[in-house]
Amino acid sequence: MTKIAEALKVVFKKHRIVFWYDSKKELRKDYEELEFSGIEKIELNNNEFRVKHRILREEPDKKFLLYHEGEAPSDLDNWLLDVQLASEEFRTDQSAIWLNELGLGMEFTDIVNDHVVFFNAAKRRENLKKILSSDDTQNAVRVKIIAVCAASDPRIDDILENLFTESAVKKDEKLKLIENCGLEEFLWNRLELSFGYTSDSPGLRDFIIQLFKSCYDMSLGDDSELNPDALVFLKRWKDSVKHQKAFETLSKECADILTIEKDLQKRDISSLEEIDFFELVDRKILSDLVKNVVDQTISTGDREGLIRQRKLSHWYKKYMDLYQAIDYGARFIKSLEEAELNIESMDDGLTKYTNYWYLLDQLYRKYIFHTKQSGQVSMLKALSDKVENLYSNNYLLPVNNNWQNHIDQCDNWGKTNIEFQRHFFRRQVCPFLNDKKKMFVIISDALRYEIGHELHSRIRQEDRFDAEITPMLSTLPSFTQLGMASLLPNKEILFSDDHSTTVFVDGKSTQGTENRSKILQDAVKGAAKAMRADELMGMNKTECRELFKEHDVVYVYHNQIDATGDKKESEGRVFDAVEDTLEELIKIIKKLVAANATNLLVTSDHGFIYQDRVLEDSDFLGADITGIDALHRDRRFLLGKGLPQNTGMKSLTAKEAGIEGDMEIQIPKSINRLRLKGSGSRFVHGGASLQEVVIPVIKIHKKRQSDVSKVGIDILGGSTSFITTGQFSVTFYQAQQVTDKVQSRTLRAGIYSKDNELISDSHNLNFEFVSGNPRERELKIRFVLTKKADDLNEQEVYLRLEEQEPGTAYYKEYKSTRYVIRRSFTSDFDF
């Protein structure tokens, strides 16, 4: 099909009658060769009146192509002028052919003539045709031409985002094409209409700088050159996954040009809470926040509110560990201030530790972990020094000194109000076996109580999982061989008389999973097995179910924390190992439950002490023990016979320690270490400190029905349901506090017209308040309305909360409320 035929076919889609004046008398052959189904060709040659009668009266529904060889007659001489005006004229000049090709009327001729460079490319015409609409105005067509040049959707914000992305990598092909097509001035006019942009030297880079400056000024409450729509656009752009790299590049460049760092020096961080256009803002907030926490010049509520707000920041992911380190550090300082560390008895110390003090160890661990993860050790040095000093000198040492006073009087270890580790099998496992129920026991080496408490919470956060945690007192010395032996069924526990530290249960060695399997098998009427966690995780689903079916008791041994902390070269990464352990244990639990296990216990052999600092001489036992003839020596205990008495050591016989045999045990008092060549000193265990001897027992239950829900969110109504200004604040209320089973909720909030058009900026809101005080579960958000809202005066609009469907990009409405925009004409004035 020829181009003329193609163009005519397009014209006939809209018109019944088409006139064709072959002014140069050179297209008769093309006319004669045309063949259209359902369209009749008629040549005009002094037959106008007859043709008019036929096409209007005789065949009013038929399509006609009216051809005339030569110029069109003047209007006065044109018998068919009225028909021609109501129909369409087909032109064969280049502009007309392009317009016909695109399905545009002759009123768009100026557009083609003004932007010939654009229309010269067939591919560009093809792309333009795809996005044209029948109701397009000339300005709408020009916007779409720019969109084709920018390879974007035909919206000014999308066009800008693509141009910005190109500018960020120092390229300008798209912008150059817009300029070559003669659309540059039109683009700046659109930016003036959309955002109020004017400049003596308009340009893309000039607009970018003005955009960042104006949005920064607006957010600080200062006068700005651009209007609020610019703020809405910038927020949308920075949150775009596709364009965020370009945003970050241009943000950094503009921060340098606008000397933002210098300006931030004079700002109080409270005025910067909601600003995230520059990475320097987060750095300023973090720097001041560290100082404020160290100096204790910021309240708990202000700190929590600030960090909660910064979670919405574009840069939060990059600085998440820093924010969390500061938060954990501040919470540790506050919790220690409120703690009373006196101990009235061993039972009193154990009760207080398992109810309150364990949290100090947990907060300290979290602080150290996030500090190292952040990679900003120098920035946090002042806070780290304070946290470390308080932890070591105001908590760890004094609480264990007080605890030691009662240890010194103890001659019967294990006789306390919490369960003794030696009784674990009899009291925790046997009741299930007696009821003919199968049992899986997961033993994680060095899983101290505070870690178990976090694991307990994480388990409960899983849907259909519940858990209970109780404390247990480990045997002494608190080291792996004895702890593992104590968890097995036992009537007699003995140390070997050599230097191997092998522990025997009922005359059998407990070294290795094979020996432990034999001990379990001898004690259980049915089948029993001991295995390593990595063996279990290597099994497929069928093998796991067979394991469950064929055994009444399975002990699963997991070793990540102790394996990391017990080596000098890796002890500094022990808290990383804790985080890995928590994730791995959840996976193990889920794997066992998937294999039909319904009764699970998680426990440990011992705890540990960890201090993230270079220890001083005062941290070690002053007496020289190198000459003592001990069967085994470690950093926190000695084993032997006939050991000399030492005032810095607590001495126990095996009987006093609650085990059999004639072995003697000596433990440095409080948290002192023994010097041991080639060993680390920050991570230690074996002694009797609360952190070493209090371990968790976690009972896990699987439920049949879902038991996890999300917090409910309400939109609090103000004194009016009217929106009267360009910025509008709304308070959201989280109806319940976040717990293990009532979990946080993330929603997207925006103000929409009746036609579902967003007329404000959009906010992603995290509702994760844990406070029991309802007033502390309120979140106030400020919305900035776009210019589109001005067209909706006295009309209803909707504040809508939407929730993302898991695993998709789709949102469904969670809740909405209605408002009426009521803007006075006086709001248009600046005075």
Side-chain angles (χ1 to χ4, degrees), residues 74-129:
S74 66
D75 289 351
L76 289 175
D77 298 329
N78 190 350
W79 288 70
L80 295 172
L81 179 63
D82 55 339
V83 179
Q84 184 175 323
L85 291 173
S87 304
E88 181 71 4
E89 180 183 348
F90 176 66
R91 294 169 54 184
T92 54
D93 58 84
Q94 188 61 67
S95 296
I97 290 175
W98 285 339
L99 288 173
N100 287 326
E101 178 187 331
L102 294 167
L104 293 172
M106 299 309 297
E107 66 271 22
F108 293 94
T109 301
D110 288 346
I111 287 182
V112 175
N113 293 335
D114 291 345
H115 312 298
V116 171
V117 172
F118 175 86
F119 290 95
N120 274 331
K123 184 66 176 177
R124 290 199 288 267
R125 296 196 305 274
E126 181 184 334
N127 289 337
L128 177 61
K129 186 177 181 179

Side-chain angles (χ1 to χ4, degrees), residues 731-746:
T731 300
F732 300 97
Y733 172 63
Q734 180 182 304
Q736 306 89 19
Q737 67 188 105
V738 169
T739 64
D740 292 338
K741 291 300 181 184
V742 182
Q743 298 180 359
S744 62
R745 182 170 235 135
T746 298

Side-chain angles (χ1 to χ4, degrees), residues 274-337:
E274 298 180 18
I275 301 175
D276 65 342
F277 312 131
F278 304 107
E279 185 176 355
L280 286 171
V281 173
D282 279 272
R283 292 191 173 195
K284 162 71 173 176
I285 289 173
L286 286 162
S287 178
D288 284 12
L289 196 53
V290 169
K291 294 185 182 74
N292 292 344
V293 170
V294 171
D295 298 337
Q296 295 181 263
T297 55
I298 186 170
S299 69
T300 299
D302 287 346
R303 184 197 77 250
E304 290 176 347
L306 177 60
I307 293 176
R308 183 168 55 248
Q309 184 66 46
R310 295 319 291 176
K311 286 183 178 181
L312 306 177
S313 163
H314 176 87
W315 314 94
Y316 179 75
K317 285 185 179 179
K318 182 173 183 178
Y319 294 106
M320 178 177 65
D321 286 299
L322 264 177
Y323 279 112
Q324 291 192 325
I326 294 168
D327 190 45
Y328 280 117
R331 287 168 58 190
F332 169 78
I333 293 168
K334 180 70 172 176
S335 296
L336 183 56
E337 278 184 351

Side-chain angles (χ1 to χ4, degrees), residues 355-594:
N355 286 343
Y356 314 108
W357 298 337
Y358 78 89
L359 185 59
L360 292 165
D361 293 305
Q362 190 177 91
L363 292 172
Y364 171 77
R365 169 172 61 83
K366 289 289 192 180
Y367 173 78
I368 298 299
F369 171 75
H370 287 291
T371 295
K372 293 185 177 183
Q373 287 291 110
S374 75
Q376 299 293 331
V377 176
S378 297
M379 180 195 172
L380 291 168
K381 186 177 186 308
L383 181 56
S384 293
D385 288 346
K386 181 162 187 169
V387 168
E388 194 64 52
N389 179 60
L390 289 173
Y391 181 74
S392 294
N393 300 323
N394 291 41
Y395 167 63
L396 191 62
L397 182 60
V399 79
N400 280 298
N401 283 347
N402 294 341
W403 172 245
Q404 187 66 44
N405 292 333
H406 301 283
I407 298 292
D408 288 342
Q409 301 169 27
C410 175
D411 58 5
N412 197 348
W413 184 256
K415 299 294 184 182
T416 64
N417 61 358
I418 67 173
E419 186 172 298
F420 187 37
Q421 192 178 38
R422 275 202 67 173
H423 304 148
F424 171 80
F425 187 85
R426 176 163 52 87
R427 295 185 179 178
Q428 295 288 352
V429 180
C430 284
F432 287 92
L433 299 179
N434 293 339
D435 287 342
K436 301 189 183 307
K437 294 178 180 177
K438 298 175 182 286
M439 170 60 69
F440 278 85
V441 178
I442 304 165
I443 302 169
S444 185
D445 205 325
L447 189 83
R448 67 183 184 181
Y449 185 78
E450 61 90 0
I451 303 170
H453 212 281
E454 183 175 352
L455 176 64
H456 165 256
S457 176
R458 290 198 188 189
I459 294 168
R460 282 179 46 79
Q461 290 171 36
E462 297 288 338
D463 194 22
R464 296 184 175 88
F465 279 83
D466 202 359
E468 303 166 18
I469 184 171
T470 55
M472 184 163 66
L473 186 71
S474 79
T475 43
L476 283 181
S478 54
F479 76 118
T480 300
Q481 288 88 334
L482 181 58
M484 293 298 183
S486 301
L487 294 168
L488 293 165
N490 64 83
K491 295 177 181 176
E492 179 186 72
I493 295 179
L494 290 170
F495 287 107
S496 66
D497 286 333
D498 56 25
H499 293 276
S500 67
T501 68
T502 300
V503 179
F504 292 88
V505 164
D506 302 337
K508 304 180 187 71
S509 171
T510 60
Q511 290 286 93
T513 53
E514 188 175 338
N515 285 328
R516 294 170 190 172
S517 280
K518 291 177 182 177
I519 294 170
L520 284 169
Q521 186 67 58
D522 289 344
V524 177
K525 291 181 180 179
K529 182 179 179 65
M531 64 189 306
R532 298 191 316 274
D534 58 348
E535 291 180 75
L536 175 71
M537 296 307 289
M539 290 181 167
N540 59 36
K541 196 169 186 178
T542 301
E543 290 170 333
C544 272
R545 288 185 171 175
E546 287 299 313
L547 177 72
F548 173 78
K549 189 183 298 184
E550 294 172 1
H551 297 87
D552 295 309
V553 178
V554 177
Y555 271 37
V556 179
Y557 292 95
H558 178 269
N559 185 11
Q560 176 85 335
I561 300 171
D562 203 57
T564 303
D566 253 346
K567 298 183 183 72
K568 185 177 182 179
E569 61 274 13
S570 61
E571 66 175 352
R573 299 195 299 272
V574 68
F575 288 163
D576 295 45
V578 171
E579 295 295 323
D580 292 340
T581 291
L582 290 168
E583 291 182 11
E584 288 175 13
L585 291 177
I586 293 291
K587 290 177 183 177
I588 291 170
I589 291 164
K590 287 184 174 181
K591 191 176 184 79
L592 290 174
V593 168

Side-chain angles (χ1 to χ4, degrees), residues 50-190:
R50 172 76 186 99
V51 169
K52 188 172 187 177
H53 187 273
R54 181 183 175 188
I55 64 178
L56 295 181
R57 295 295 181 87
E58 295 177 8
E59 298 177 88
D61 298 321
K62 191 171 183 177
K63 291 184 177 182
F64 293 94
L65 173 62
L66 308 182
Y67 171 82
H68 174 71
E69 188 175 40
E71 295 282 352
S74 66
D75 289 351
L76 289 175
D77 298 329
N78 190 350
W79 288 70
L80 295 172
L81 179 63
D82 55 339
V83 179
Q84 184 175 323
L85 291 173
S87 304
E88 181 71 4
E89 180 183 348
F90 176 66
R91 294 169 54 184
T92 54
D93 58 84
Q94 188 61 67
S95 296
I97 290 175
W98 285 339
L99 288 173
N100 287 326
E101 178 187 331
L102 294 167
L104 293 172
M106 299 309 297
E107 66 271 22
F108 293 94
T109 301
D110 288 346
I111 287 182
V112 175
N113 293 335
D114 291 345
H115 312 298
V116 171
V117 172
F118 175 86
F119 290 95
N120 274 331
K123 184 66 176 177
R124 290 199 288 267
R125 296 196 305 274
E126 181 184 334
N127 289 337
L128 177 61
K129 186 177 181 179
K130 291 176 183 177
I131 57 176
L132 287 173
S133 300
S134 59
D135 58 350
D136 279 336
T137 63
Q138 290 202 12
N139 281 344
V141 172
R142 283 191 169 93
V143 169
K144 290 181 177 182
I145 291 173
I146 293 177
V148 171
C149 294
S152 71
D153 290 337
R155 301 192 317 269
I156 199 67
D157 53 356
D158 205 65
I159 290 167
L160 286 174
E161 286 172 357
N162 278 17
L163 294 179
F164 287 178
T165 295
E166 185 181 59
S167 179
V169 293
K170 308 303 181 191
K171 293 183 178 179
D172 61 357
E173 284 87 350
K174 293 181 175 67
L175 185 62
K176 284 291 185 186
L177 179 58
I178 292 170
E179 293 171 355
N180 292 339
C181 292
L183 288 157
E184 186 181 15
E185 185 177 349
F186 178 78
L187 176 61
W188 308 140
N189 288 337
R190 298 310 296 180

